[in-house]
Amino acid sequence: MKNIDRRRRAVCMGMLGGLAGLTMGDAARARPTIDDAARVFRLDGGAVTYAFGVNPDGRLQTIYWGSALAPDDPLPAPAPVPENSSNETSITVTPFEYPGFGAGLTVEPALKVTFPDGVRDLDLRYVGHRIDGERLIVTLKDVSRAVHVTLAYAMDAASGILSRSAVVENRTNGWIQVDQMAAASINLPYDDDYRLSYLTGRWAGEFALQTRPVGPGATVIESRKGVTSHQANPWIALSRAMTEEESGPVWFGALGWSGAWRIGVDMDSLGGVRVTAGYNPFDFAYRLKPGERLASPLFHAGYSGDGFGGASRLFHRYQRTRILPALRPRPVLYNSWEATEFAVDEAGQMALAEKAASLGIERFVVDDGWFGARNNSKAGLGDWVVNTKKFPNGLTPLIKRVNDLGMEFGLWVEPEMVNPDSDLYRAHPDWVIHFPGRTRSEARDQLVLNLARKDVYDHLLTVLDRLLGANNIAFLKWDHNRAWSEPGWPQVPPAEQQRLYVTYVDNLYKLLGELRRRHPKVEIESCASGGGRVDLGIMALTDQVWVSDNTDPYDRLLIQDGFSRAYAPAIMMAWVTDSPNWVNKRATSLEYRFVSSMQGALGIGANLNHWNARDFTEAKRLIAEYKRIRVTVQQGDLYRLISPQGGSARSATLSVAQDGNQAVLFAFLHSGGMRDPAPPIRLRGLDPRKMYGLRTIAGGVAPRTPKRASGAYWMGQGIQPNLAGDFQAAAIVLEVA
Ligand code: DGJ
């Protein structure tokens, strides 16, 4: 990029120049600062400043997003980027906060509408602003038609993470159709060496980290599946060439939406990079009658100058404090799925429960197969009544036994789905998402209930409320095992059918919210064939997520590393299952499987009927150890000391407790060879002056490792785990002593 272009954009984004006029003190950091004369808005939080303003044309333009500026730094009102040529007009290269498709815009719009007279031109100009609690509300309106847009900005005081959203309101006398709507457009500071990181995958292979340079053109990650998806996750990070794990700038963001979504990262012809995140415009149309509104999801965006590690630690903290409905250490759970699949019954589950209790398990979860005619995937989904062949006396005796053994009871459900071979479908074949007269494509022998319908919503609320009311259930594993197909909603007129994409998810959130309100003690896990529904929208209504059906402990290290880029270990469930693993037939030791799963919220999913006495003794000890470190692992600061990405033979993570008094090192050797040197692992995030004692939970350390040393020592000299062979692991605890 030529320097002249670079400078021109810097001027236009207000990063140079001399007008001051903004004052703010530390005490006001979370509250927006507004320069009314210049019409410039500034949000400060953590170590971040975000600023935008009204340009002379009345359009809302980004000024700055990055490391915190000094209170009196100049932030003049923005000026549009001048036209470069008739092919790069000003409108298309100026960094707007929320551009409508109109006035010649050819880059990605935040909002695109169609009017009844065929006009598809939307030119949004500033109307006003107000402060609403912690939120800054800015209103825009089309130049001539009564389409109003309300933008909301809220910055978290501690992390500097900004949440943004928009509401479009039709105040015209006719309908308007929203063809495309984002939560936000976010412009990156002008630079020419951005890298984009994002997460892709598939069933049993979620959260695969991808990184590519950002160049001219667009990268689009999306789900068209009606659910968040395995294929891509709605999180991105933009870094610079200089950025490393613990240094350099990272701008990151995630969309809180569990339906079809899209995030586009595009570079315009003058090198400006913008992120546009919101509803997926593919097959999207939301018609608004006069007076109606449509709200976007929330987009959460942050900045860290401390590399990818700094970015994820900020985001984890934000999720724990601002997104999750409650934060309590995850109970160690047992889940029946891999042990018994659909073959659950009272005697079998009781036997497993007794064995689980002897290990120190705190929550016993019966997975699929307990209801209706459910003996395999072909029948029963939708009939949420206990299968009396398997549980002749209902669930009560099992629940009582589980409770008597000192455990909570949890149950699997998949409320949004139905098998055609079910009483529910036979009674209500019209309740599924479909197009009349067309094939209803099945996946895993099931169809998707249309939760956008009020009768379906009411039915699910009644059935689940009854289930939770009648049984002492502490936990629901809420599954969703297929993508949508034939996304029709024939009950409503054709012009309204595509509201499905929004109304379904709104009703899902409403349903989860209402169940939580009625049953405040029940915790919920979001699962979608593994990690197909992990996002900040569902996270606000659930307590934990099932990350992948792939429980191989080595594959899981990669999945967990990818997951940790975006999401907090506080919600990341990880089970110890049987070896060889069903996914890839890899054989690993029980200790290795435990250490891998201890990186998150520990669960056991093995068939305990196959364990011997030594397995029980070892598992019992490791579960007890895990309980002593779980708050640090789940809610501490995570350092990816050596990432498994890229085929590295070794990997290691360190979790440091919020008070700095405990740290847990997990180290793995995937495959030793050639007498490779293994440098000591140098820790991070400890208090250099505190003295930490070392305790080994699993594996070992090199012979001359001290038992006690300062944080400075462990960070400077490091620790050498004693790992040799294949699939070896060590878990080492450092405690202030
Ligand atoms: C998919 C989930 O990811 C599994 O853990 C299990 O619950 C099955 N569904 C049950 O059908």
Side-chain angles (χ1 to χ4, degrees):
M1 195 60 58
K2 286 189 201 134
N3 280 344
I4 184 154
D5 288 346
R6 185 189 296 242
R7 182 176 161 77
R8 189 157 66 145
R9 182 169 290 270
V11 170
C12 296
M13 285 186 74
M15 292 159 71
L16 307 174
L19 294 176
L22 295 171
T23 51
M24 60 179 298
D26 273 355
R29 284 189 78 80
R31 288 185 68 79
T33 311
I34 299 165
D35 178 345
D36 280 311
R39 298 197 299 185
V40 164
F41 309 92
R42 171 176 170 159
L43 297 109
D44 288 82
V48 180
T49 299
Y50 187 93
F52 61 99
V54 182
N55 75 15
D57 301 326
R59 296 189 174 108
L60 217 55
Q61 187 174 326
T62 308
I63 296 176
Y64 176 82
W65 181 28
S67 55
L69 301 178
D72 294 331
D73 274 341
L75 287 173
V81 177
E83 176 175 305
N84 191 51
S85 82
S86 56
N87 300 290
E88 298 89 29
T89 56
S90 172
I91 192 88
T92 235
V93 289
T94 297
F96 294 120
E97 286 286 294
Y98 202 80
F101 169 68
L105 188 92
T106 53
V107 292
E108 193 63 36
L111 186 64
K112 178 177 179 302
V113 301
T114 301
F115 294 97
D117 59 1
V119 168
R120 301 185 313 283
D121 185 72
L122 185 73
D123 186 357
L124 297 170
R125 309 286 176 111
Y126 168 83
V127 175
H129 67 265
R130 67 192 155 83
I131 300 290
D132 173 18
E134 282 189 349
R135 299 190 315 159
L136 167 64
I137 307 291
V138 181
T139 46
L140 311 172
K141 181 190 161 298
D142 177 63
V143 271
S144 66
R145 300 192 176 199
V147 177
H148 292 248
V149 174
T150 306
L151 304 182
Y153 295 78
M155 186 173 271
D156 176 41
S159 62
I161 290 175
L162 177 67
S163 71
R164 285 192 53 184
S165 58
V167 175
V168 56
E169 184 179 351
N170 177 12
R171 292 196 205 159
T172 72
N173 295 324
W175 56 261
I176 62 168
Q177 181 163 295
V178 178
D179 302 313
Q180 177 166 351
M181 185 182 190
S185 269
I186 301 211
N187 297 286
L188 275 286
Y190 189 61
D191 231 306
D192 57 7
D193 64 348
Y194 281 112
R195 308 275 190 277
L196 170 67
S197 302
Y198 56 105
L199 298 166
T200 62
R202 59 184 166 276
W203 173 70
E206 296 88 337
F207 302 103
L209 181 65
Q210 313 292 339
T211 301
R212 60 163 77 167
V214 177
T219 303
V220 170
I221 55 166
E222 63 174 348
S223 163
R224 298 180 176 189
K225 298 187 167 187
V227 67
T228 320
S229 97
H230 305 73
Q231 190 176 328
N233 186 275
W235 167 89
I236 50 145
L238 285 141
S239 53
R240 303 266 316 282
M242 59 158 93
T243 305
E244 295 186 9
E245 178 63 20
E246 294 296 341
S247 65
V250 180
W251 294 260
F252 56 94
L255 192 66
W257 188 242
S258 312
W261 57 271
R262 189 174 82 168
I263 301 179
V265 178
D266 70 272
M267 180 188 275
D268 66 38
S269 17
L270 296 191
V273 174
R274 68 180 58 68
V275 176
T276 313
Y279 296 129
N280 195 329
F282 176 82
D283 194 40
F284 187 87
Y286 197 103
R287 198 169 277 210
L288 293 172
K289 297 189 189 102
E292 282 190 333
R293 301 162 176 211
L294 173 62
S296 77
L298 283 167
F299 187 67
H300 309 263
Y303 167 82
S304 169
D306 297 325
F308 297 107
S312 56
R313 284 190 291 278
L314 269 187
F315 215 15
H316 296 170
R317 189 171 314 153
Y318 177 73
Q319 290 163 20
R320 291 194 306 266
T321 55
R322 304 297 292 241
I323 304 285
L324 280 169
L327 185 65
R328 81 172 175 106
R330 300 291 82 226
V332 179
L333 66 71
Y334 179 81
N335 179 289
S336 66
W337 176 245
E338 286 198 27
T340 48
E341 295 206 341
F342 300 98
V344 293
D345 62 22
E346 187 180 295
Q349 295 301 302
M350 272 193 191
L352 284 171
E354 274 152 27
K355 295 187 165 103
S358 77
L359 295 172
I361 298 285
E362 297 159 313
R363 173 179 282 170
F364 183 83
V365 183
V366 175
D367 208 282
D368 204 343
W370 59 269
F371 53 91
R374 186 76 167 167
N375 297 315
N376 49 47
S377 66
K378 295 195 183 316
L381 265 187
D383 299 339
W384 301 108
V385 286
V386 179
N387 180 315
T388 45
K389 282 199 192 107
K390 298 176 180 181
F391 298 93
N393 306 303
L395 293 173
T396 308
L398 174 61
I399 296 177
K400 185 168 181 317
R401 183 74 189 121
V402 164
N403 293 159
D404 288 348
L405 287 163
M407 299 182 292
E408 295 177 344
F409 181 79
L411 199 59
W412 179 95
V413 287
E414 192 179 4
E416 300 150 78
M417 300 289 163
V418 66
N419 285 122
D421 185 0
S422 67
D423 292 342
L424 185 71
Y425 189 75
R426 281 183 281 275
H428 300 287
D430 54 326
W431 276 13
V432 297
I433 294 174
H434 72 285
F435 290 126
R438 307 288 301 178
T439 298
R440 302 173 180 201
S441 301
E442 293 176 23
R444 210 192 191 212
D445 310 299
Q446 63 196 56
L447 297 168
V448 185
L449 286 172
N450 184 350
L451 188 45
R453 289 174 63 122
K454 187 173 178 314
D455 45 11
V456 171
Y457 171 88
D458 288 343
H459 170 77
L460 291 181
L461 180 59
T462 305
V463 166
L464 293 167
D465 184 41
R466 194 184 302 140
L467 183 69
L468 294 174
N471 298 288
N472 187 21
I473 294 171
F475 171 80
L476 285 180
K477 175 178 174 183
W478 187 298
D479 209 342
H480 178 291
N481 279 301
R482 61 157 293 181
W484 294 5
S485 59
E486 299 93 22
W489 180 3
Q491 186 194 23
V492 300
E496 288 172 30
Q497 288 200 9
Q498 283 149 292
R499 280 183 177 227
L500 179 70
Y501 287 106
V502 176
T503 311
Y504 179 111
V505 181
D506 282 348
N507 277 356
L508 169 68
Y509 290 163
K510 200 168 112 189
L511 180 60
L512 286 164
E514 183 57 18
L515 288 169
R516 293 190 77 98
R517 196 188 64 74
R518 294 188 190 183
H519 304 278
K521 294 207 174 105
V522 176
E523 292 199 337
I524 301 175
E525 175 174 278
S526 174
C527 168
S529 293
R533 189 151 65 188
V534 179
D535 61 77
L536 296 190
I538 205 80
M539 192 191 292
L541 289 156
T542 52
D543 302 275
Q544 60 190 50
V545 299
W546 182 226
V547 178
S548 180
D549 279 351
N550 185 341
T551 53
D552 172 74
Y554 171 66
D555 285 4
R556 210 50 189 243
L557 294 183
L558 278 156
I559 292 172
Q560 291 171 180
D561 180 278
F563 181 95
S564 78
R565 311 271 158 172
Y567 301 112
I571 57 162
M572 184 179 81
M573 295 308 297
W575 305 344
V576 172
T577 57
D578 288 317
S579 173
N581 190 274
W582 69 275
V583 170
N584 50 21
K585 306 289 175 259
R586 183 180 284 126
T588 52
S589 70
L590 188 61
E591 183 178 75
Y592 183 81
R593 281 176 269 152
F594 258 99
V595 179
S596 170
S597 295
M598 282 176 166
Q599 283 192 322
L602 180 67
I604 307 290
N607 190 340
L608 299 179
N609 298 322
H610 298 163
W611 280 20
N612 61 31
R614 238 193 22 238
D615 295 334
F616 275 96
T617 307
E618 187 170 8
K620 190 173 173 182
R621 181 185 72 78
L622 289 168
I623 289 170
E625 288 286 7
Y626 178 75
K627 289 178 184 169
R628 295 170 67 185
I629 58 169
R630 70 173 143 191
V631 174
T632 299
V633 171
Q634 295 173 19
Q635 301 174 16
D637 279 335
L638 176 71
Y639 295 84
R640 289 177 293 264
L641 299 179
I642 309 171
S643 169
Q645 303 288 342
S648 152
R650 289 164 198 277
S651 67
T653 59
L654 181 78
S655 304
V656 181
Q658 292 302 329
D659 65 4
N661 287 341
Q662 189 187 60
V664 183
L665 173 68
F666 296 120
F668 303 88
L669 173 64
H670 316 314
S671 184
M674 309 270 186
R675 302 193 70 79
D676 297 328
I681 299 173
R682 295 187 175 87
L683 308 193
R684 287 183 164 270
L686 304 181
D687 184 333
R689 287 155 311 194
K690 284 185 181 160
M691 296 298 289
Y692 292 83
L694 178 146
R695 188 161 55 85
T696 303
I697 293 181
V701 289
R704 288 156 56 98
T705 307
K707 287 265 165 291
R708 189 168 176 270
S710 67
Y713 178 93
W714 299 121
M715 292 192 288
Q717 184 75 348
I719 296 180
Q720 190 132 28
N722 212 357
L723 299 175
D726 295 340
F727 304 111
Q728 299 296 312
I732 296 156
V733 184
L734 293 150
E735 267 152 347
V736 168

